[in-house]
Amino acid sequence: MNIHFQDFRPVKEDTHADSRGRLTLGQIAKDKKYRVLVNDAGQVLLDPVVSIPERELWLWNNPEALASVQRGLQQAAEGKGRYLGSFAQYADLEIED
């Protein structure tokens, strides 16, 4: 687990959880999803997360493949891509792990 503890700044100085444990965080947390962590001192950290389909998890667990995809996206954004034809014929091939 990689958590960055640096560069925190206060968002609210004094806020109270209601009887059900809910806090209002305002616009900074609007429409976001969080993983909630707590340490032995009772400090709570909200770590923003996004959900990805399970079938795509392999990519995030493979740094080499992820770097290749990111490099390809960067090249496409820079207009360095070129059309190589359809790869639809390979869509049903089994991939070895």
Side-chain angles (χ1 to χ4, degrees):
M1 181 182 317
N2 187 16
I3 298 175
H4 303 278
F5 291 102
Q6 300 174 350
D7 302 324
F8 277 95
R9 64 185 186 288
V11 175
K12 288 187 171 190
E13 290 297 329
D14 189 14
T15 187
H16 297 275
D18 67 14
S19 62
R20 296 178 64 189
R22 296 177 294 195
L23 291 171
T24 301
L25 301 174
Q27 289 295 320
I28 195 166
K30 184 177 180 182
D31 295 329
K32 291 186 177 181
K33 185 176 181 179
Y34 293 92
R35 176 176 55 158
V36 181
L37 302 106
V38 63
N39 64 15
D40 291 339
Q43 296 172 315
V44 177
L45 175 67
L46 301 176
D47 188 24
V49 296
V50 295
S51 297
I52 59 169
E54 186 175 343
R55 68 181 182 281
E56 296 177 9
L57 183 60
W58 71 270
L59 179 61
W60 298 98
N61 290 331
N62 184 327
E64 184 178 328
L66 182 58
S68 179
V69 169
Q70 291 173 331
R71 191 171 46 255
L73 291 172
Q74 180 64 36
Q75 290 170 344
E78 294 170 356
K80 295 180 179 176
R82 60 187 163 102
Y83 184 71
L84 298 175
S86 173
F87 289 85
Q89 63 184 327
Y90 304 108
D92 295 329
L93 289 179
E94 293 293 324
I95 298 173
E96 296 178 25
D97 290 328

